[in-house]
Amino acid sequence: MEWRLIWERFREHKAGLWGLWAVLAIALIAIFAPAIGAALGLDPYAQDILLRYAPPGNGHPLGTDEAGRDFLIRLIYGAQVSVGVAVLSTVASMIVGVIIGAIAGYYGGLWDAFLMRFTDALLSLPLLPVLILLAAMDFAKLPGLGLFFADGDASLTKMVLIFVLFSWMTVARLVRGQILQLKEMEFVTAARSLGMRDARIILRHVLPSVLPAVIVAVSLAVGQTILFESALSFLGLGIQPPLASWGNMLNNGLETLSAAPMLVFLPGFCILVVVVAFNFIGDGLQHALDPKSVKR
Amino acid sequence: MNFIVRRVAQTLFVLVLMSFVSYAMMALMPGDPLDIACAANPRCNPENILEMKRQLGLDRPIPERFVKWAAAAVQGDLGYSRTYQRPVTEILWPRLLNSMWLGLLSSFVALVVAIPLGILVGVMPRKKIDYIVNMFCFVGVSSPSFWLGLMFIYLFSVQLGWLPAGGVQTVDGMEDLSGWAAVLDRLKYMILPVLTLTLLTIAGWVRQTRSAMIEVMSMDYIRTARAKGLAPVQVILKHGVRNAMLPVVTVVALGLSGVFSGAVITETVFAYNGVGKLLYDSILGNDYNVAMCAFVVSCAGVLIASLVADLCYAMLDPRIKLK
């Protein structure tokens, strides 16, 4: 489908458009977080034990948190981490899913049976308990991986890795199903009779037709990943302080609730807004990419 | 019958595999219990640890240890809890019951609200009420449950002081409560967790029911039913709902997994002593015997629920043969 046409149809979907603007705005804020911090003279990691739970004002636009750090700049840096981790791991898992789905669907037979059994097994697991277990693991103890998880931001790498491991399955099944149908089509037979290599047929002729469905699935998956990351970080198993994520800012939620309820409300509200925005985009994309869908 | 046997065998296989993988993963957790015990004792040296590990069989390869653990677990010996200093079975049962009550109550509430609401907006898409309900559902499936729980605590416990912020039952003066008073006391503690759980479930289930209803109501046989002069209510209930419920049953059955596996986040936020909170606490506390069992129970809950979902689907849909 042509990009102009897709954009025209996407624009018809008002909620999707709102979602897109919201995500773009948040992405801009996240990207320019250091610049904003410098402009306001705020540091997300500077603690001031004497200034815990300070009310808004006095150089701290939204007050300070339980360690006396400026809340506004932590919220902004939190956007970087929360949205960044989700987008990164979703895109990576999409690539994994497309590859596995394409192999299973295109080659069929034993490959298909093995890969799809594996996919089904992973899909049947209770996601949250498994994620908690994985997040609690010390990855540095794994042979060969110690190097990647030795530095201070290890929790970031770990989160992305965990989410990639456990979110490629939907895309893989989607791609496989589509390719199973497509590979019987004449244009694939034609390409094969021209002597094209498998990789080229998959990349040039089959994948473009699968892409719309994958894009929709991915935009919906970003929201889910943000929710899971924030839940893990809330439990203290995800992104580790001093790094700020919207989830781990609520880590002390129960204690903070009586001292400064705003500090509990805002991070969660940010999560809500971003996830709603991504879900709206997914809805809008579905409308734009699926010719059969009717405007609601 | 063949289908059922195969499906049950598959579930058991995944469960055993899962237990093994999680058993192996526990070995990769930070904080070895023996190291912790040793660190507390000034006279302990590295040779002591090695000797202890040898005596306890901890120097054996993981597969061998797993087989021993599994053999004991099947016979009802789940080991001993490090933090609670009691056998795991004693800890697990009350937690399981707590989780089941919470899960049953919230599933029931969600079911009673979500299905009728979904049918209602499904038969009148693009009306004002549809937009309102749809909006609510979008927010529902997008809100982080722990935040929702915290907000409820703030509103109903901190500000209004109507409900307890967490726990399972009143601890002080429990001896005086009996019969209905005790039940009511426990219900009071369940209101907020149930509210949190149901809001999220309702949002998902309404969306499912709604889209299933919309799809079914556009079918030819609905038009036929209308054309032969059936009352609209009859068309909706007898021809529409019955067919639309097929996919919904699966989703609902899957949702029931929480009845057994517990809700980790909600239970943790409200300090509700269920399996979910047990899993979380034991993983954080390096209590591996407990963590193992809580994890396997959680997995089993979800696997059984998806098994039930598949069987329901096969039984309700005559197009799928059980053979």
Side-chain angles (χ1 to χ4, degrees), chain A residues 136 138 141 235 250 265 279 296, chain B residues 28-30 142 146-147 280:
Chain A
D138 186 358
K141 275 194 188 179
L235 292 173
L250 291 172
F265 174 74
N279 284 344
R296 288 193 300 191
Chain B
L28 290 166
M29 301 249 174
S142 309
F146 56 91
W147 175 70
Y280 173 65

Side-chain angles (χ1 to χ4, degrees), chain A residues 100-278:
Chain A
I100 292 182
I103 292 176
Y106 192 79
Y107 292 107
L110 263 179
W111 277 108
D112 185 32
F114 172 72
L115 287 174
M116 283 304 116
R117 281 297 138 279
F118 187 59
T119 311
D120 286 345
L122 280 188
L123 271 176
S124 71
L125 295 179
L127 198 51
L128 198 62
V130 172
L131 287 178
I132 288 177
L133 201 63
L134 273 172
M137 266 169 64
D138 186 358
F139 276 44
K141 275 194 188 179
L142 279 176
L145 277 180
L147 209 66
F148 296 104
F149 297 96
D151 62 333
D153 294 343
S155 61
L156 271 180
T157 332
K158 191 164 137 185
M159 280 295 106
V160 174
L161 189 75
I162 290 177
F163 286 123
V164 172
L165 275 178
F166 277 91
S167 45
W168 54 267
M169 293 89 75
T170 339
V171 171
R173 289 188 63 138
L174 207 81
V175 170
R176 172 194 174 258
Q178 297 260 328
I179 287 187
L180 273 185
Q181 288 174 15
L182 285 169
K183 73 174 180 184
E184 307 300 333
M185 300 279 206
E186 275 91 355
F187 66 89
V188 175
T189 322
R192 203 175 289 148
S193 67
L194 283 172
M196 272 189 196
R197 277 176 295 115
D198 287 347
R200 198 174 147 88
I201 296 178
I202 293 177
L203 282 176
R204 291 290 296 273
H205 295 276
V206 182
L207 274 188
S209 324
V210 183
L211 217 53
V214 171
I215 291 175
V216 172
V218 163
S219 57
L220 293 172
V222 173
Q224 280 304 307
T225 311
I226 292 180
L227 283 181
F228 275 118
E229 178 270 315
S230 66
L232 287 179
S233 298
F234 163 73
L235 292 173
L237 295 167
I239 304 296
Q240 299 300 321
L243 270 184
S245 101
W246 290 336
N248 77 15
M249 292 173 81
L250 291 172
N251 198 210
N252 273 353
L254 273 174
E255 184 202 313
T256 317
L257 212 46
S258 41
M262 233 4 192
L263 300 194
V264 181
F265 174 74
L266 280 176
F269 188 69
C270 288
I271 299 171
L272 177 65
V273 169
V274 173
V275 177
V276 167
F278 272 108

Side-chain angles (χ1 to χ4, degrees), chain B:
Chain B
M1 238 26 221
N2 211 342
F3 171 78
I4 300 176
V5 171
R6 217 175 51 223
R7 202 55 193 73
V8 171
Q10 194 190 348
T11 303
L12 279 176
F13 176 73
V14 173
L15 192 60
V16 171
L17 198 68
M18 239 5 253
S19 342
F20 173 67
V21 171
S22 55
Y23 191 90
M25 273 159 56
M26 297 281 172
L28 290 166
M29 301 249 174
D32 187 285
L34 275 180
D35 291 341
I36 296 172
C38 189
N41 188 344
R43 277 181 305 178
C44 171
N45 59 45
E47 285 89 63
N48 294 137
I49 296 188
L50 282 180
E51 174 60 22
M52 284 271 276
K53 283 197 173 164
R54 207 183 53 75
Q55 275 180 11
L56 294 168
L58 289 175
D59 56 342
R60 312 300 307 162
I62 286 175
E64 190 185 318
R65 278 157 59 188
F66 173 70
V67 171
K68 264 179 95 175
W69 175 85
V74 170
Q75 289 163 30
D77 175 14
L78 296 176
Y80 211 72
S81 159
R82 196 177 69 81
T83 38
Y84 299 91
Q85 302 288 335
R86 273 161 54 198
V88 175
T89 31
E90 261 179 45
I91 301 163
L92 198 60
W93 277 115
R95 299 294 194 111
L96 206 54
L97 279 178
N98 281 347
S99 273
M100 274 173 78
W101 285 122
L102 184 63
L104 281 176
L105 193 63
S106 53
S107 306
F108 176 74
V109 174
L111 207 61
V112 171
V113 178
I115 304 294
L117 196 60
I119 294 172
L120 182 76
V121 293
V123 293
M124 44 172 89
R126 270 169 278 173
K127 292 274 166 56
K128 204 167 199 175
I129 182 165
D130 180 37
Y131 279 114
I132 296 170
V133 171
N134 216 0
M135 203 55 220
F136 160 80
C137 291
F138 245 110
V139 172
V141 294
S142 309
S143 41
S145 57
F146 56 91
W147 175 70
L148 214 55
L150 288 171
M151 289 294 109
F152 285 147
I153 290 178
Y154 180 68
L155 187 63
F156 294 108
S157 306
V158 180
Q159 284 299 315
L160 297 170
W162 288 352
L163 294 164
V168 178
Q169 60 198 26
T170 309
V171 183
D172 286 339
M174 241 325 273
E175 317 81 59
D176 312 332
L177 293 175
S178 60
W180 274 110
V183 172
L184 282 179
D185 180 61
R186 294 198 54 159
L187 276 178
K188 204 170 71 189
Y189 281 84
M190 278 162 79
I191 294 177
L192 286 184
V194 165
L195 190 63
T196 311
L197 282 173
T198 43
L199 273 185
L200 303 177
T201 334
I202 287 173
W205 288 359
V206 165
R207 276 164 67 98
Q208 290 287 341
T209 315
R210 173 182 178 273
S211 63
M213 266 319 268
I214 289 179
E215 200 181 321
V216 166
M217 292 309 278
S218 68
M219 293 286 178
D220 285 343
Y221 57 78
I222 295 292
R223 204 172 25 172
T224 313
R226 283 214 180 102
K228 73 179 182 188
L230 271 184
V233 178
Q234 268 202 314
V235 176
I236 291 168
L237 290 183
K238 281 192 110 172
H239 297 260
V241 172
R242 277 187 122 184
N243 286 297
M245 279 305 108
L246 212 52
V248 176
V249 164
T250 325
V251 176
V252 170
L254 277 178
L256 291 182
S257 65
V259 174
F260 303 103
S261 68
V264 182
I265 293 173
T266 313
E267 285 176 6
T268 307
V269 170
F270 291 102
Y272 187 89
N273 280 328
V275 186
K277 187 170 182 296
L278 186 68
L279 175 70
Y280 173 65
D281 289 344
S282 55
I283 285 183
L284 279 201
N286 299 310
D287 198 344
Y288 300 125
N289 280 337
V290 179
M292 238 349 253
C293 295
F295 183 75
V296 171
V297 165
S298 292
C299 282
V302 174
L303 290 173
I304 291 170
S306 79
L307 178 71
V308 170
D310 274 12
L311 294 183
C312 282
Y313 202 97
M315 266 189 277
L316 292 175
D317 192 344
R319 284 167 297 188
I320 297 177
K321 296 254 163 35
L322 280 176
K323 295 273 142 45

